[in-house]
């Protein structure tokens, strides 16, 4: 392998910028490919939600949702806070979801974050990883030889999938850090399917350790009655969300306490994929309402302390 001799600081900076640009390019291409495979249902967008960034009167609290898709988190938060001047901003690369800002994470971080956050500092930031790259079913396609975290990928497809998943997670971490620069009390809600991201260094090194986010892992059919099981993790810094305090058996399926009754075992056995995933998505309101209420209570509490 050829070596590069660095002779000046400016050359080092150019190499760093080239590596960063390559990462952005890869993320944009993969995100575009992922978006073309989505098929959002009619009405599953944020088109009916007013964008806080263009409101005549700045909102008291602002939620930014990255990876908005159906904007269910934003919808729940706005419904709770609109009477007390709450506002939302949705960001997604998929124009079919009709977000307020059509950009991927990297573009927003580089081109818009400072401008938007200076105008409306984020009080709540909701981020979602791409399910098709981070779900339990994707793990076999992302295999590494020998060692699951740092081992060499076993195929070119696996290498690209791992690079995309890690690049997007890294940009989400940078967005959180950027938001905290503008509001040190910002509430963070980071949703990801279980298993894949947990095997990556960014999960423990940055999300859990550096940012100090708590891990709430639960089965959606156990807590929120979705028609099929979906093992989900929400990393967060919320003090008032009840799920952070639940025991393992209260939030997960176990042999002693299944999500379903004896006559309905099949519901638990089906994993959210394909049509089942679309059906389950229609019932995410309960989860989003639960998290939004916890955020609302915490924002009110912080205002009372100020």
């Amino acid at each position: 392998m050829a070596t590069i001799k660095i002779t000046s600081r400016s050359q080092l900076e150019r190499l760093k910028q080239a590596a960063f640009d390559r990462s952005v390019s890869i993320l944009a291409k993969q995100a575009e490919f992922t978006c073309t495979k989505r098929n959002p249902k009619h009405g599953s967008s944020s088109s009916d939600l007013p964008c806080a960034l263009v409101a005549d009167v700045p909102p008291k609290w602002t939620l930014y949702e990255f990876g908005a898709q159906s904007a269910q988190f934003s919808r729940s938060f706005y419904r709770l806070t609109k009477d007390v001047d709450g506002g939302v901003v949705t960001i997604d690369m998929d124009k079919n979801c009709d977000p307020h800002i059509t950009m991927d994470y990297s573009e927003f971080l580089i081109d818009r974050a400072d401008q938007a956050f200076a105008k409306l500092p984020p009080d709540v930031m909701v981020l979602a990883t791409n399910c098709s790259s981070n779900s339990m079913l994707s793990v076999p396609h992302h295999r590494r030889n020998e060692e699951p975290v740092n081992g060499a990928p076993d195929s070119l497809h696996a290498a690209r999938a791992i690079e995309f998943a890690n690049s997007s997670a890294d940009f989400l971490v940078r967005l959180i850090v950027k938001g905290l620069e503008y509001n040190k009390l910002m509430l963070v809600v980071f949703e990801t399917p279980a298993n894949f991201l947990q095997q990556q260094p960014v999960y423990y090194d940055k999300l859990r350790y550096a940012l100090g986010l708590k891990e709430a892992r639960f089965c959606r059919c156990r807590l929120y009655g979705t028609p099929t099981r979906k093992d989900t993790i929400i990393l967060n810094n919320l003090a008032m969300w009840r799920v952070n305090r639940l025991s393992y058996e209260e939030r997960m399926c176990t042999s002693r306490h299944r999500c379903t009754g004896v006559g309905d075992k099949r519901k638990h056995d089906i994993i959210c994929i394909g049509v089942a995933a679309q059906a389950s998505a229609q019932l995410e309101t309960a989860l989003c309402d639960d998290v939004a209420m916890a955020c609302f209570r915490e924002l009110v509490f912080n205002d009372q302390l100020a």
Side-chain angles (χ1 to χ4, degrees):
M1 182 181 291
T3 58
I4 300 175
K5 185 176 180 180
I6 299 175
T7 59
S8 66
R9 180 176 291 275
S10 61
Q11 184 183 4
L12 177 61
E13 292 301 320
R14 288 196 298 272
L15 288 172
K16 286 182 177 179
Q17 185 62 45
F20 181 77
D21 291 343
R22 178 177 179 274
S23 180
V24 171
S25 175
I26 290 171
L27 183 60
K29 288 178 181 178
Q30 292 281 4
E32 185 175 2
F33 172 74
T34 300
C35 287
T36 60
K37 298 179 72 174
R38 288 183 187 168
N39 183 25
K41 290 181 176 292
H42 177 71
S44 60
S45 72
S46 53
S47 58
D48 59 328
L49 292 171
C51 178
L53 287 170
V54 297
D56 294 333
V57 179
K60 182 176 183 179
W61 301 311
T62 305
L63 177 146
Y64 287 84
E65 183 174 1
F66 293 90
Q69 297 191 39
S70 64
Q72 191 59 61
F73 275 109
S74 294
R75 203 175 303 283
S76 296
F77 183 81
Y78 184 72
R79 187 166 54 247
L80 280 170
T81 63
K82 63 181 180 180
D83 292 335
V84 288
D85 299 325
V88 298
V89 181
T90 60
I91 301 98
D92 197 295
M93 186 176 180
D94 189 353
K95 62 183 180 181
N96 293 321
C97 295
D98 202 12
H100 296 142
I101 299 175
T102 306
M103 278 185 167
D104 66 45
Y105 309 143
S106 58
E107 287 179 305
F108 183 87
L109 178 66
I110 296 166
D111 298 330
R112 293 287 295 277
D114 284 306
Q115 177 189 1
F117 294 167
K119 182 175 182 179
L120 289 179
D123 295 288
V124 182
M125 185 178 288
V126 176
L127 314 101
T129 61
N130 173 256
C131 288
S132 64
S133 301
N134 292 276
S135 70
M136 181 165 51
L137 293 172
S138 294
V139 173
H141 303 292
H142 298 171
R143 273 195 297 267
R144 299 172 186 262
N145 288 325
E146 300 173 2
E147 206 279 316
V149 175
N150 297 310
D154 63 1
S155 68
L156 179 60
H157 170 79
R160 287 174 174 169
I162 291 168
E163 184 171 17
F164 171 53
N166 281 312
S167 294
S168 59
D170 185 60
F171 276 107
L172 289 173
V173 169
R174 294 180 189 214
L175 281 167
I176 295 172
V177 172
K178 177 64 71 175
L180 290 169
E181 290 177 9
Y182 286 86
N183 181 4
K184 298 190 183 305
L185 295 178
M186 181 183 77
L187 303 178
V188 178
V189 178
F190 186 110
E191 180 190 4
T192 182
N195 289 336
F196 177 73
L197 192 60
Q198 288 171 291
Q199 298 180 22
Q200 310 309 314
V202 66
Y203 188 85
Y204 291 100
D205 293 350
K206 297 180 180 179
L207 291 165
R208 297 282 280 122
Y209 179 73
L211 292 173
L213 299 180
K214 291 172 279 194
E215 178 187 276
R217 180 170 180 167
F218 54 90
C219 176
R220 290 200 185 190
C221 62
R222 175 77 175 89
L223 281 188
Y224 299 106
T226 53
T228 51
R229 70 182 171 97
K230 186 174 184 181
D231 201 350
T232 301
I233 292 174
I234 290 188
L235 297 167
N236 66 92
N237 60 355
L238 304 177
M240 298 186 180
W241 189 34
R242 64 183 183 91
V243 178
N244 286 329
R245 299 186 294 275
L246 294 179
S247 67
Y248 182 85
E249 287 196 349
E250 289 176 303
R251 53 187 166 80
M252 297 295 293
C253 313
T254 67
S255 58
R256 290 171 50 194
H257 194 153
R258 305 279 280 186
C259 298
T260 59
V262 176
D264 195 19
K265 289 183 179 180
R266 180 164 173 73
K267 184 177 89 167
H268 180 270
D269 294 334
I270 301 174
I271 301 173
C272 279
I273 56 174
V275 176
Q278 293 180 8
S280 180
Q282 303 303 310
L283 297 175
E284 289 191 350
T285 303
L287 166 61
C288 296
D289 285 351
D290 195 18
V291 177
M293 178 57 77
C295 292
F296 179 47
R297 288 173 178 165
E298 201 147 336
L299 290 171
V300 171
F301 181 74
N302 289 341
D303 271 7
Q304 292 173 344
L305 290 180

